[in-house]
Amino acid sequence: MHQQTVLEQPLLKLAQWTEGVERSALQQMLMRASGPDVISFALGLPAPELFPGREFSEAVVSVLTSQALALQYGPPFLPLKSHIVSLMRRRGVDCTEDMVFLTSGAQQGMSLVARLLLDSGSEVVLEECAYTGFQQILQPYSPRLLTVGTDLETGLDVDALERLFTRGCRPALVYAISDGHNPFGVSMDLAKRKALVNLAERFGVPILEDDAYGLIQYEDYPIPPLRSFNDELVFYVGSFSKILAPALRVGWIIVPKGLNDLFSIVKEAADIDTSTLSQRSIAAYIDLFDLGAHIKTLSQVYRQRRDTLLQALNTYLGPRARWSKPRSGLFMWVEVADLLDSAKLLARSLEKEKVAFIPGSAFAVNGGSLGRNALRLNFSNSPPDLIDEGIRRLARLLP
Amino acid sequence: MHQQTVLEQPLLKLAQWTEGVERSALQQMLMRASGPDVISFALGLPAPELFPGREFSEAVVSVLTSQALALQYGPPFLPLKSHIVSLMRRRGVDCTEDMVFLTSGAQQGMSLVARLLLDSGSEVVLEECAYTGFQQILQPYSPRLLTVGTDLETGLDVDALERLFTRGCRPALVYAISDGHNPFGVSMDLAKRKALVNLAERFGVPILEDDAYGLIQYEDYPIPPLRSFNDELVFYVGSFSKILAPALRVGWIIVPKGLNDLFSIVKEAADIDTSTLSQRSIAAYIDLFDLGAHIKTLSQVYRQRRDTLLQALNTYLGPRARWSKPRSGLFMWVEVADLLDSAKLLARSLEKEKVAFIPGSAFAVNGGSLGRNALRLNFSNSPPDLIDEGIRRLARLLP
């Protein structure tokens, strides 16, 4: 056993999917560019000045001083599930506590759904540009990615999806963001939502509905999510990150019936349980304060920032570009006529104008060319004067 | 698109690995048996009366009132990494901040290591009885599980591992708990640790060292972990769950060089980041209070409980059984002569004596027969008088 023939360079063999994976140049560029002198439209960050720090602090203290088990491992906290049932009702979805599965944020929710639905090499349908975090979830499964287009005013191309299905494609899941699409900033119209659910039912294909932004709405009549039309095939994923604070790492899945036990198994494998302290503190915050009023405040402030951004684009870019008009969420998608490579624009923009954004091409699925003439702009994380100034600077660099 | 041929019962097709998976009868039995009148040796829970609730509350408030970004998404918090470097030094491991990768608890740490090392169908080496949470991590990979034995006094059978390797087996990883083994309650002796690392080096096989318990030590001279002998092949996983509180969901991996970027990718895919608030609150707690003294208190209290359990086993079971004598951790393994089925014993024990434990067979890898005559007893979660009373009751049911 103590033989001393040590191999010269033992090779650490990693899983196959890791071959060729590396952090993108984009991420490295953005990390260098996060200084305080940069006006950033890049990340999907909520406005930190609106975090209810004092109120949440009060909620945590009330939990830690009165609930002996707040620091222990624990089962999902039922009063929090009840609050989520109320939130979902506000969102137009009828559900009960037993359909609410608590997760460490929406990202984990989607990661657990993938674990239950995907085999290695499974087919998955996404839009041609899609949330990079979901693409990262898919990567280890080496899936076959099929794409459908997106209309900036009405959302996912449901007709294209129907053509895929009628040609025989039966993907393991369709990924959809009905409200405040990331990166396109569009909300699907009602007819398309109904048609999409109808398709899923006809062909027995599950839908992962990523609703991380859907409780932030800018128009008077929000459209109900896909989950409101079907409770057997739609895995709805929600989160407290955008309506309360990301650092709490609490989200939820509204799961189809009969899948709770399987979700418990993959959740335990992933990280045992969702922080008991976070769960109880959020429930206490909702008991002690008015989450509804807080969401209303967030929506008003973000709507104002959205309007400032729309105005600035109109003023400084005008007919050189077209953009989505978000009714929900944190992002706007701007396509610039004659712009050849938004990634190169970013490098120049950081260097010359100290303005950051995400080039549309960063979201392209299958290395497609969509988005090379586009920018994804976040409008929740900067005050109106900086939004205006940032677009004014950006416009100088555009063709 | 609006054609109305709805399929009668669209079948929700899940990933292949889920076939045949179900929650065990054991878990259901234990869930029913968690009432306050039950003396429980079952779960691996820390003693809630020792949680520093007041101090931690102070730390959270100090963070929430002084750090504007405490509720935001955020990069790993460097001061917390520095504290972990100090903890690792106390544990006998020299490392630097850039080797510390923060996770949402040790379970997530292991789950991320599996993601980076395992392909579907990979070979993995475990002991014949192994932590069920790690077996749950492995399940979706449909791995080929190879097992080696365990000695209750010296730990993992390194000679058996060498025989596997020399026969040509090159597993994707070897899973090892050097200190306070779950479920066996044994710590590997020094010679075996060195031999195990030596084997890993000779054959280029990575080791996942699960050290969730290693900072809780009952003897004066703890043995250094595997990671102290090798920093290229040992993925060391640690946690604040047992030394501070599980509800914070913060753990760490000490990663081999060059793997930080890949870990960042799988971490982002899993749940974006580890709670900024938890990270900063733990760092503040360590700044404001004495974590070393707290760990010392925990070790003293748990050692007393271990001694009470050893004494009770001696008194009530005597020569009918043999058991491990833990120098670390929360568990003891008790093998009872002439006991045929500890799972049946549990059912009777819950019904007649209101005593809970985990039957050894629950940990058996590959459905092996090991553990049918054994009980895993936790000693951290009950005060000494209940430990004594629980064993007194259990003894009545034993052959």
Side-chain angles (χ1 to χ4, degrees):
Chain A
M1 189 159 71
H2 298 274
Q3 194 183 329
Q4 288 303 321
T5 348
V6 176
L7 295 181
E8 291 276 313
Q9 286 184 318
L11 189 74
L12 195 55
K13 194 174 159 291
L14 301 178
Q16 279 171 15
W17 72 267
T18 62
E19 279 165 32
V21 170
E22 49 188 40
R23 287 219 116 176
S24 66
L26 172 67
Q27 280 167 309
Q28 286 161 15
M29 190 152 56
L30 287 170
M31 269 161 60
R32 281 199 304 272
S34 58
D37 56 336
V38 171
I39 299 179
S40 181
F41 299 101
L43 304 176
L45 301 175
E49 68 274 22
L50 298 179
F51 290 143
R54 193 189 53 73
E55 292 84 352
F56 194 76
S57 181
E58 210 174 298
V60 178
V61 171
S62 85
V63 166
L64 282 173
T65 52
S66 70
Q67 301 180 28
L69 293 177
L71 288 170
Q72 188 63 289
Y73 293 109
F77 192 54
L78 192 58
L80 180 61
K81 288 192 177 191
S82 300
H83 286 309
I84 291 169
V85 167
S86 303
L87 277 171
M88 291 308 299
R89 198 172 302 128
R90 167 202 306 255
R91 196 75 189 86
V93 173
D94 270 324
C95 64
T96 49
E97 282 78 358
D98 62 316
M99 299 178 193
V100 177
F101 190 88
L102 297 175
T103 62
S104 306
Q107 181 76 17
Q108 183 181 63
M110 296 194 284
S111 152
L112 299 182
V113 171
R115 200 40 134 179
L116 279 189
L117 293 181
L118 298 187
D119 287 306
S120 186
S122 284
E123 287 186 341
V124 175
V125 175
L126 305 90
E127 288 158 273
E128 286 165 11
C129 282
Y131 167 52
T132 50
F134 185 65
Q135 296 188 57
Q136 281 181 309
I137 287 174
L138 295 179
Q139 213 166 11
Y141 298 93
S142 307
R144 188 159 165 243
L145 303 179
L146 303 166
T147 57
V148 295
T150 310
D151 182 283
L152 283 191
E153 286 178 13
T154 62
L156 187 147
D157 185 346
V158 181
D159 289 327
L161 187 65
E162 182 172 32
R163 286 191 295 274
L164 277 178
F165 286 2
T166 48
R167 254 186 270 140
C169 163
R170 294 290 180 281
L173 70 86
V174 174
Y175 175 67
I177 304 181
S178 321
D179 281 273
H181 191 282
N182 178 9
F184 290 124
V186 61
S187 293
M188 280 180 81
D189 71 18
L190 180 62
K192 279 191 168 181
R193 292 182 198 218
K194 288 182 174 170
L196 175 55
V197 168
N198 186 267
L199 265 187
E201 288 168 353
R202 270 173 61 204
F203 293 95
V205 172
I207 298 173
L208 170 52
E209 180 172 36
D210 174 2
D211 199 45
Y213 310 106
L215 282 156
I216 306 285
Q217 292 279 350
Y218 308 126
E219 308 298 331
D220 286 340
Y221 298 99
I223 311 167
L226 303 171
R227 188 58 169 75
S228 69
F229 304 111
N230 178 294
D231 55 12
E232 292 183 345
L233 287 166
V234 179
F235 295 76
Y236 172 101
V237 171
S239 173
F240 284 104
S241 293
K242 306 304 185 293
I243 58 172
L244 201 46
L248 311 176
R249 304 314 303 128
V250 178
W252 64 89
I253 313 172
I254 308 296
V255 301
K257 257 178 223 159
L259 290 180
N260 253 307
D261 282 355
L262 273 174
F263 271 107
S264 296
I265 287 170
V266 289
K267 166 70 179 168
E268 283 169 26
D271 65 354
I272 307 279
D273 61 17
T274 297
S275 166
T276 313
L277 182 58
S278 280
Q279 288 184 49
R280 289 171 183 248
S281 299
I282 293 173
Y285 170 86
I286 299 176
D287 289 336
L288 292 168
F289 304 98
D290 187 344
L291 178 60
H294 181 63
I295 293 174
K296 205 169 165 186
T297 302
L298 290 173
S299 300
Q300 283 165 348
V301 173
Y302 292 168
R303 177 169 42 216
Q304 196 200 351
R305 292 177 181 193
R306 175 201 68 171
D307 291 343
T308 303
L309 179 54
L310 288 170
Q311 182 60 50
L313 290 169
N314 215 29
T315 305
Y316 304 115
L317 271 67
R320 283 183 289 170
R322 66 177 204 127
W323 47 85
S324 50
K325 290 164 197 68
R327 350 176 353 128
S328 171
L330 316 184
F331 302 111
M332 203 175 290
W333 178 264
V334 182
E335 292 177 352
V336 183
D338 304 322
L339 177 61
L340 294 180
D341 187 342
S342 53
K344 281 189 187 153
L345 175 68
L346 173 62
R348 279 202 299 144
S349 164
L350 284 172
E351 191 198 323
K352 291 190 198 290
E353 300 288 353
K354 302 266 184 199
V355 173
F357 60 86
I358 309 273
S361 50
F363 301 93
V365 175
N366 279 338
S369 62
L370 196 70
R372 289 211 190 140
N373 67 337
L375 294 66
R376 189 196 73 173
L377 302 182
N378 164 272
F379 53 84
S380 58
N381 193 233
S382 303
D385 56 332
L386 286 187
I387 290 177
D388 184 84
E389 171 64 14
I391 300 303
R392 200 177 62 80
R393 292 193 203 169
L394 251 186
R396 291 183 202 145
L397 300 175
L398 290 177
Chain B
M1 189 160 70
H2 299 275
Q3 193 182 329
Q4 288 304 319
T5 348
V6 176
L7 295 181
E8 291 278 310
Q9 287 184 315
L11 189 73
L12 195 54
K13 195 173 158 292
L14 302 178
Q16 280 171 14
W17 71 268
T18 62
E19 279 166 34
V21 169
E22 49 187 42
R23 287 221 116 174
S24 68
L26 172 67
Q27 280 167 310
Q28 286 162 14
M29 190 153 55
L30 286 169
M31 271 163 59
R32 282 199 305 272
S34 59
D37 56 336
V38 170
I39 299 179
S40 181
F41 298 102
L43 304 176
L45 301 175
E49 68 274 20
L50 297 179
F51 290 143
R54 192 188 54 73
E55 292 84 352
F56 194 76
S57 180
E58 210 173 297
V60 178
V61 171
S62 84
V63 166
L64 282 173
T65 52
S66 70
Q67 300 180 26
L69 292 178
L71 287 170
Q72 188 62 289
Y73 293 108
F77 191 54
L78 192 59
L80 181 61
K81 288 192 176 189
S82 300
H83 286 309
I84 291 169
V85 167
S86 302
L87 277 171
M88 292 308 300
R89 199 171 302 127
R90 167 203 307 257
R91 195 77 187 85
V93 174
D94 271 323
C95 64
T96 49
E97 282 78 0
D98 62 317
M99 300 178 193
V100 177
F101 189 88
L102 297 175
T103 63
S104 307
Q107 181 75 17
Q108 183 180 66
M110 297 194 283
S111 151
L112 299 182
V113 172
R115 199 42 132 180
L116 279 190
L117 293 181
L118 298 187
D119 286 306
S120 186
S122 284
E123 288 186 340
V124 175
V125 175
L126 305 90
E127 288 157 274
E128 287 164 10
C129 282
Y131 167 51
T132 50
F134 185 65
Q135 296 188 56
Q136 281 180 309
I137 287 173
L138 294 178
Q139 212 164 14
Y141 298 93
S142 308
R144 189 161 164 242
L145 304 179
L146 304 166
T147 57
V148 295
T150 310
D151 183 283
L152 283 192
E153 287 178 11
T154 62
L156 187 146
D157 185 347
V158 181
D159 289 327
L161 188 65
E162 181 172 34
R163 286 192 296 275
L164 277 177
F165 287 2
T166 49
R167 252 186 271 141
C169 163
R170 293 291 179 279
L173 71 88
V174 173
Y175 175 67
I177 305 182
S178 320
D179 282 272
H181 191 283
N182 178 9
F184 290 125
V186 61
S187 292
M188 281 180 81
D189 71 18
L190 179 62
K192 278 190 168 180
R193 291 182 199 217
K194 289 182 174 169
L196 175 54
V197 168
N198 186 267
L199 266 186
E201 288 168 353
R202 270 173 61 204
F203 293 95
V205 172
I207 298 174
L208 170 52
E209 180 173 36
D210 174 1
D211 200 45
Y213 311 107
L215 282 156
I216 306 284
Q217 293 279 350
Y218 308 127
E219 309 298 331
D220 287 339
Y221 299 100
I223 311 167
L226 303 171
R227 187 58 169 74
S228 68
F229 304 110
N230 178 295
D231 55 11
E232 293 183 344
L233 288 166
V234 180
F235 295 76
Y236 172 102
V237 172
S239 173
F240 284 105
S241 294
K242 305 305 186 293
I243 58 172
L244 200 46
L248 310 177
R249 306 313 302 127
V250 178
W252 63 91
I253 313 173
I254 309 296
V255 302
K257 257 178 223 159
L259 290 181
N260 252 309
D261 283 354
L262 274 174
F263 271 107
S264 296
I265 288 170
V266 290
K267 167 70 180 169
E268 283 170 26
D271 65 354
I272 307 279
D273 61 17
T274 297
S275 166
T276 313
L277 182 58
S278 280
Q279 289 184 50
R280 289 171 182 249
S281 299
I282 293 172
Y285 170 86
I286 299 176
D287 289 336
L288 293 168
F289 304 98
D290 187 345
L291 178 60
H294 181 64
I295 294 174
K296 207 169 165 187
T297 302
L298 290 173
S299 300
Q300 283 165 347
V301 173
Y302 293 169
R303 177 167 45 214
Q304 195 200 350
R305 293 177 182 193
R306 175 202 67 169
D307 291 343
T308 303
L309 178 54
L310 288 170
Q311 182 60 49
L313 290 169
N314 215 31
T315 305
Y316 304 116
L317 271 68
R320 283 183 288 172
R322 67 178 203 125
W323 48 84
S324 50
K325 288 163 199 69
R327 344 174 1 125
S328 170
L330 316 183
F331 302 111
M332 204 176 289
W333 179 264
V334 181
E335 292 177 351
V336 184
D338 305 324
L339 177 62
L340 295 179
D341 187 341
S342 53
K344 282 189 185 152
L345 175 68
L346 173 61
R348 280 203 298 144
S349 166
L350 284 171
E351 191 199 322
K352 291 192 199 293
E353 300 289 354
K354 303 264 183 201
V355 174
F357 59 87
I358 309 275
S361 49
F363 301 93
V365 174
N366 279 339
S369 63
L370 195 71
R372 290 213 189 139
N373 68 336
L375 295 65
R376 189 197 73 173
L377 302 181
N378 164 271
F379 53 85
S380 58
N381 193 233
S382 303
D385 56 331
L386 286 186
I387 290 176
D388 184 83
E389 171 64 13
I391 300 303
R392 200 177 63 78
R393 292 192 202 170
L394 251 186
R396 290 184 203 145
L397 300 175
L398 292 177

